[in-house]
Amino acid sequence: MPKIIYTLTDEAPLLATYSFKPIVDAFASTAGIDVEVRDISLAGRILAAFSDRLPEDQRVDDALAELGELTQSPEANIIKLPNISASVPQLKAAITELQAQGYDLPDYPDAPESDEDKDVRARYEAVKGSAVNPVLREGNSDRRAPAAVKRYAQAHPHWMGEWDPESRTNVAHMKDDDFHGNEQTIVMTQDDDLTVQLVSPLGKVQVLKESLPVKAGDVVDSTFMSVSSLKAFLRRQIRRARQEDVLFSVHLKATMMKVSDPIMFGHVIRVFFADVYREYGDVMDAAGLNPNNGLASIFEGLEKLEEGAQIRAAFEDVMAKGPRLAMVNSDKGITNFHVPSDVIVDASMPAMIRNSGHMWGPSGEEDDTLAVLPDSSYGEVYQAVIEDCRENGAFDPRTMGSVANVGLMAQKAEEYGSHDKTFEIPFHGTIQVLNSAGDVLMDDLVDPGDIWRACTTTDAAIRDWVKLAVTRARATGDSTVFWLDRSRAHDRTLKRIVKRYLAEHDTEGLRILFMHPADACEHALFRMRKGLNTISVTGNVLRDYNTDLFPILELGTSAKMLSVVPLMAGGGLFETGAGGSAPKHVQQLVNENYLRWDSLGEFLALAESLRQLAEHHDNQGAAVLGDALDKATEKLLLENKSPARKLGQIDNRGSHFWLALYWAKEMARQDTDPALAEAFRSIAAELEDNAQQINEELVAVQGEPADIGGYYRPDHDKTMAIMRPSQTFNDIIAKLG
């Protein structure tokens, strides 16, 4: 039986799955399609990592590893929802919850010394950060705004903040001695197994990476960020924010870049609160209060120290003297520094740009902001958008064009594959990258505390990326731009390889360009304002950034993007848009039994999944279901049946009902498969006849707290009851199954 694998993930998308998947099961069953689930949530990954230490009845399979193997099969058909790329605070919170639920898990060891602690730490390290995406993304990324979604955004424009031509908002980044400036790149001439080691001036050798297998044609990079230069840069930006009287905000990616960015985050706190650390740093370090985990973690730890109140007052004094910090929640006093996973660059920067270049200040006011993005690789892209808005004003969703993306991400390409090759340098010396013959291929002179990393990009992934770019260019006729920085070693090398592989394709009549990222951004912005469409062809990090930046401007959210990953082995991974996993939506559900999460990306992904399944298995019913779902999704948008924002109106569950009604009606009226039409005719009629009652049942539960039995691992039965409160709706859908 043909099957779709549906992933269980985290937070709002997971809650929505409890409501939507029973509908999917019922509809898919009419075409003989089985829909299976695999748990790749943060909690599920933790339990899988320690399954050998748990009793038999608590053990879980390593679903992520299983799906990783499946991506190598042409039969793969996986729908992947957003998951938590856990920071250390999130990981610790999940561990605590699981322990309270009766799972005998070890605590996360902050400073492992024993072999057992080191083993525990290694298992948790494999779970946190971007543990999921590098395993599943065995293909490159095709992300774009579906035509129906774009038409809806033009007809129902979302809010865009006005821009003041005198806005003082800017992006600050380092000029040198960062990852961009120190990068070296080589292309392997043969298969090999590399070693990374640190050698002191006195000849002491510490092996950092014993084995790094590579193949001929693979691109290998090494680079480092000088921490002394980082600290000097941060001091300058703190002074600048104070002098210009703007909010100070740091934008990193401490989830996906789970090794390097938490370290940088910690340095931001140490520099900003330098006076506190000069006086109390030893006390806090001895107590294990790691600034990499944010102020919230430090403040919690201070409550247990004798001098805690005094140290907390010292932190408060620094914040009172300025510069003013950008806030995550000014009402609760939660700053940009409290939790490293609260302000993630790809989500926070577009939101700031959309909001007139403003973030929220300590007193609950909006203000211009100095956005600090330490590494210079991508800061200029955001600065280009800010300067465009300062000159031309806010974008108009009614008329603006679209920017799609073809992203190089297959086989752990570039920075997102660097986690196991990123190190905080323990002593002064030279980092050497050696081949199996002992030859030094690359070397870097580093100091204690510097952050060094290596990245690899396979030749096969690059070749597939070029093929996908040409395919999209041919399908659309849009201007197609490779965003490559000639001043960056990796990008110069990539450009040569891309040109070689472009020669394998018929590109006559296509407009394919190469531009520096800032110039490419200006090119895309100019075309957007003219109502023209552009395809950005980017590396892995810029893929992530662009597929939040442009959709948030165009559509109001990145969750409405169609995200298809044609797997290199022939299968398909269908992602349900970007936009994170919406922890605030979970909080609202728990407090008010109201879930604002919009499953639109899920609808779009499912339709694509059904079409691929139809093609691979010659299943006409799957094709009919996919086409009908697309029509139902467009009807949902036009009828404004997406989740509303206020109690008493439809939320995520109500939106699912209306989609099911429209989907059933489209299935009943289609004439491609008469048997399927007949199967849905009575269901569509029953749903329509009972629409008022179903809506009343769905809305009636709102306003009271909802007990789902856990945040990271909700109780199945409790959550199912919360997310499927209309018995009338459930009974009708069950007739399909």
Side-chain angles (χ1 to χ4, degrees), residues 450-493:
D450 287 352
I451 308 166
W452 186 94
R453 76 178 183 210
C455 309
T456 58
T457 309
T458 67
D459 180 65
I462 299 169
R463 191 171 200 163
D464 183 78
W465 178 53
V466 173
K467 175 185 175 183
L468 183 57
V470 173
T471 299
R472 293 305 305 155
R474 179 67 64 191
T476 63
D478 294 334
S479 176
T480 302
V481 184
F482 284 85
W483 294 38
L484 296 173
D485 182 352
R486 57 188 173 274
S487 67
R488 184 179 173 188
H490 171 84
D491 283 11
R492 287 197 302 272
T493 301

Side-chain angles (χ1 to χ4, degrees), residues 59 222 407 639:
R59 293 178 183 175
S222 78
E639 295 294 327

Side-chain angles (χ1 to χ4, degrees), residues 227 230-232 234-235 238 248 250 262-295 298 315 318 337 424 449:
V227 167
L230 171 64
K231 290 177 179 177
L234 292 171
R235 286 191 288 268
I238 292 168
F248 182 91
V250 63
I263 296 172
M264 287 191 278
F265 189 88
H267 284 299
V268 172
I269 290 181
R270 286 186 182 273
V271 172
F272 195 92
F273 298 100
D275 292 345
V276 181
Y277 275 90
R278 268 192 293 272
E279 188 167 357
Y280 301 108
D282 291 343
V283 174
M284 290 188 287
D285 290 344
L289 304 185
N290 190 344
N292 297 12
N293 297 334
L295 284 186
I298 293 173
F315 275 102
V318 172
F337 291 169
E424 190 171 20

Side-chain angles (χ1 to χ4, degrees), residues 458-691:
T458 67
D459 180 65
I462 299 169
R463 191 171 200 163
D464 183 78
W465 178 53
V466 173
K467 175 185 175 183
L468 183 57
V470 173
T471 299
R472 293 305 305 155
R474 179 67 64 191
T476 63
D478 294 334
S479 176
T480 302
V481 184
F482 284 85
W483 294 38
L484 296 173
D485 182 352
R486 57 188 173 274
S487 67
R488 184 179 173 188
H490 171 84
D491 283 11
R492 287 197 302 272
T493 301
L494 214 59
K495 183 176 180 179
R496 292 196 300 270
I497 298 171
V498 168
K499 285 188 171 181
R500 183 170 77 242
Y501 286 140
L502 277 174
E504 298 178 352
H505 300 276
D506 175 15
T507 59
E508 186 175 354
L510 303 181
R511 190 183 187 204
I512 298 178
L513 308 172
F514 294 87
M515 291 186 179
H516 181 282
D519 296 335
C521 186
E522 291 177 5
H523 173 77
L525 295 170
F526 175 81
R527 291 175 59 83
M528 285 177 78
R529 290 190 183 276
K530 297 289 186 182
L532 302 173
N533 300 334
T534 310
I535 300 173
S536 64
V537 189
T538 70
N540 207 346
V541 174
L542 269 177
R543 168 201 59 80
D544 219 356
Y545 293 2
N546 281 8
T547 54
D548 269 310
L549 172 61
F550 293 110
I552 286 174
L553 298 178
E554 295 174 41
L555 311 174
T557 174
S558 55
K560 295 181 179 181
M561 290 287 278
L562 177 62
S563 181
V564 178
V565 182
L567 297 173
M568 292 169 65
L573 174 68
F574 306 94
E575 299 187 283
T576 64
S581 47
K584 290 184 179 179
H585 291 188
V586 184
Q587 295 164 15
Q588 185 176 14
L589 177 92
V590 171
N591 293 330
E592 303 178 334
N593 202 351
Y594 189 89
L595 185 65
R596 277 176 49 196
W597 176 259
D598 190 343
S599 295
L600 178 63
E602 209 165 336
F603 308 155
L604 301 170
L606 178 59
E608 290 293 321
S609 166
L610 287 165
R611 276 191 279 270
Q612 175 176 293
L613 191 143
E615 181 180 343
H616 282 209
H617 294 274
D618 193 24
N619 186 318
Q620 177 180 268
V624 172
L625 282 167
D627 291 343
L629 177 55
D630 268 345
K631 293 176 182 177
T633 300
E634 183 162 9
K635 175 76 169 176
L636 183 92
L637 291 170
L638 294 175
E639 295 294 327
N640 198 26
K641 297 300 184 182
S642 297
R645 291 180 172 268
K646 294 181 180 180
L647 290 179
Q649 300 176 328
I650 64 167
D651 70 349
N652 177 266
R653 296 162 291 191
S655 181
H656 291 166
F657 158 65
W658 285 105
L659 180 87
L661 170 59
Y662 298 147
W663 194 4
K665 291 175 72 172
E666 291 295 341
M667 289 297 297
R669 68 165 55 104
Q670 56 80 28
D671 56 9
T672 304
D673 191 321
L676 274 180
E678 181 61 32
F680 277 94
R681 197 160 287 123
S682 62
I683 298 296
E686 277 197 76
L687 289 172
E688 189 158 39
D689 291 344
N690 289 277

Side-chain angles (χ1 to χ4, degrees), residues 195-214:
T195 302
V196 180
Q197 65 183 25
L198 172 62
V199 183
S200 77
L202 297 179
K204 175 184 176 182
V205 176
Q206 180 174 332
V207 175
L208 301 177
K209 182 74 174 176
E210 191 170 343
S211 176
L212 174 55
V214 290

